[in-house]
Amino acid sequence: MIFDVIIAGGGPGGSICAARLAQLGRRVLVLEKVHFPRFHLGESLLPQSMPILESIGVLGEMRERFLLKRGATFHQSVTGKAVRYDFSEAFDKSITFAFEVPRDEFDHLLLRRAAALGTEIREGWTVSRIIFDEGRAVGVEARDPQGTTHVLSAHFVVDATGRDALQAHATRSTIKVPHLDKTALFTHFRGTYRDSGDREGDIQLVLCPAGWFWFIPFKDGRTSVGAVVSSAWLKTRTPGETLDDLYRRAVAGSDVATRMLAGAEQLFPAGATADFSFRVQNLAGHGWLAVGDAGGFIDPLFSTGAHLAIYGGFHGAEAIDASLATGTTRPEHFASWERVVRRGAELFLGSVQAFYEGTLISYLFADKQHPFLKHAITSMLVGDVFKEDARWTREIQARFPPSLGA
């Protein structure tokens, strides 16, 4: 059997790519190495993802299950100052909300939706490599849950393996982004501070000496709270200091985070994951493309991961469908798609780098912020980063050009 498309990975990028391809009538197989639901970070979505989620038919269920997010509030621990960015203040006001989503539930919802639309899903299958014939991807080699290796054929292959970045690592084409060697310490709490009314679902971002915290509230009363710290701060870890000890020390360094967590119940021991941002040389080749983190990872400051995966997966599916219709699966067919995805990712990247350098922080907390700049920052926070002709994107890119590394 030859599939139209085999997708390695069932996260948001893979599931949405599969769902859209299935809507377009393609025979699709998703191979996912774990069984869903499973824990994952990256729980805060962006408004500009909502039209895509509506188009694949999950927005109604998301309204019932998840907490609405209408803005983002930044807190400065040193000064005590706070500033809120309401999504309705973006230049594009067509969509002014998103959701805070436990990723185990959200990712499972997307995978089930892809299956409902006709995608074949195989969980517990690990893709070990993409198979090429005369330079063109023609399938994958994968191990089933019993450990048996299979060769599966397809007219096109999508790498949606997340930070495993199957194809990029196989070709040694990952490039580390300089000065973004961070680590995230994370856990969930019950009973933390959250805003009220329409602002209950706001993400709270707390700047502190160790780095910064995210506070992402869920509808069931839990809150995801993570501390993103620098490698230099992490090196101050003393012998015998556990991850929970490190986490508590980061909290103790911020009066704001301490107040927000006062009286809260920690639900599981702190975990840690390295957030080493990287990019890849090519997002597409002959008969394949990469979506989501498989095409590069950016620091989670602006909740970019799921958004880039959703956009890249959906529009990648449409490019794949068009290429299969014409029989042209060479990389130049995907040049326009890759250019748009990279443009959005690099706008986010430049802004993240400017944040850590301090330049963006001065704009975020400016006493007399120019209205254009506030609208521009808000437009970035809603994820409206893919428009080539928008004046505000040119302005942000000019002020915060990305440093991409060698």
Side-chain angles (χ1 to χ4, degrees):
M1 177 187 299
I2 300 179
F3 292 90
D4 287 327
V5 184
I6 292 177
I7 299 175
S15 290
I16 285 175
C17 187
R20 183 58 181 150
L21 284 165
Q23 285 180 323
L24 294 168
R26 295 296 175 181
R27 182 174 179 81
V28 186
L29 170 65
V30 170
L31 302 173
E32 168 54 50
K33 67 179 180 180
V34 302
H35 291 269
F36 281 27
R38 53 88 176 97
F39 179 85
H40 203 284
L41 294 175
E43 301 111 328
S44 200
L45 304 184
L46 303 188
Q48 286 291 326
S49 288
M50 298 305 105
I52 290 175
L53 295 169
E54 183 174 31
S55 71
I56 66 165
V58 296
L59 200 59
E61 186 171 350
M62 290 179 66
R63 287 182 180 275
E64 296 174 2
R65 295 176 56 176
F66 303 130
L67 184 62
L68 277 171
K69 170 189 175 185
R70 301 183 187 277
T73 301
F74 291 83
H75 304 260
Q76 177 58 273
S77 293
V78 174
T79 65
K81 187 172 183 179
V83 59
R84 181 174 187 268
Y85 290 84
D86 191 298
F87 295 153
S88 66
E89 296 180 319
F91 283 115
D92 182 348
K93 304 180 189 304
S94 61
I95 182 102
T96 59
F97 70 90
F99 295 94
E100 310 289 24
V101 297
R103 282 288 299 276
D104 54 350
E105 296 180 41
F106 176 65
D107 291 8
H108 197 203
L109 169 64
L110 295 181
L111 194 64
R112 287 192 293 105
R113 182 56 181 163
L117 289 168
T119 300
E120 181 177 341
I121 309 292
R122 299 185 191 177
E123 294 176 83
W125 284 66
T126 301
V127 177
S128 54
R129 67 184 180 98
I130 298 175
I131 298 171
F132 290 86
D133 182 17
E134 297 184 350
R136 175 181 175 175
V138 294
V140 302
E141 183 179 273
R143 294 187 306 276
D144 67 20
Q146 289 73 44
T148 302
T149 297
H150 302 260
V151 172
L152 303 168
S153 299
H155 298 299
F156 203 93
V157 177
V158 174
D159 182 358
T161 56
R163 282 192 277 174
D164 289 345
L166 178 69
Q167 179 61 14
H169 286 306
T171 56
R172 298 183 179 181
S173 60
T174 60
I175 303 167
K176 186 177 178 180
V177 178
H179 313 305
L180 290 182
D181 50 339
K182 312 295 179 182
T183 295
L185 307 171
F186 59 88
T187 185
H188 285 180
F189 287 86
R190 190 176 299 279
T192 68
Y193 165 82
R194 61 178 60 184
D195 215 328
S196 58
D198 286 346
R199 299 183 179 188
E200 181 185 1
D202 277 17
I203 182 173
Q204 310 288 331
L205 299 157
V206 180
L207 284 61
C208 65
W212 61 275
F213 285 88
W214 75 71
F215 284 72
I216 300 173
F218 300 141
K219 196 169 186 177
D220 63 5
R222 291 178 296 150
T223 299
S224 172
V225 185
V228 178
V229 300
S230 67
S231 58
W233 187 88
L234 201 62
K235 288 176 182 176
T236 65
R237 185 178 186 178
T238 59
E241 194 172 20
T242 67
L243 290 178
D244 271 325
D245 293 334
L246 276 172
Y247 189 92
R248 285 190 287 268
R249 181 150 64 88
V251 172
S254 167
D255 290 342
V256 176
T258 298
R259 288 197 304 271
M260 287 184 172
L261 288 170
E265 174 193 5
Q266 186 174 339
L267 300 181
F268 58 82
T273 182
D275 279 327
F276 297 117
S277 299
F278 67 91
R279 65 195 300 267
V280 302
Q281 290 179 339
N282 299 301
L283 298 185
H286 196 182
W288 68 271
L289 58 77
V291 301
D293 289 350
F297 175 76
I298 300 174
D299 183 281
L301 176 65
F302 296 123
S303 304
T304 56
H307 183 56
L308 291 170
I310 289 167
Y311 183 94
F314 184 86
H315 292 285
E318 296 190 326
I320 292 166
D321 178 67
S323 75
L324 293 177
T326 61
T328 306
T329 60
R330 301 194 65 84
E332 51 266 28
H333 181 86
F334 303 96
S336 177
W337 169 84
E338 180 169 351
R339 184 177 64 254
V340 172
V341 171
R342 281 201 188 277
R343 183 170 61 241
E346 290 174 5
L347 188 148
F348 281 135
L349 176 60
S351 299
V352 167
Q353 290 173 323
F355 172 86
Y356 286 115
E357 292 163 3
T359 311
L360 181 57
I361 293 174
S362 65
Y363 287 112
L364 288 170
F365 291 97
D367 289 328
K368 295 182 179 179
Q369 194 176 53
H370 192 284
F372 177 87
L373 188 58
K374 182 160 190 177
H375 294 322
I377 292 172
T378 307
S379 296
M380 180 182 64
L381 294 174
V382 304
D384 188 21
V385 296
F386 300 107
K387 295 173 182 172
E388 190 169 16
D389 58 349
R391 177 193 162 199
W392 78 265
T393 61
R394 296 195 299 271
E395 183 72 19
I396 290 290
Q397 287 167 332
R399 288 176 184 262
F400 313 131
S403 176
L404 300 174

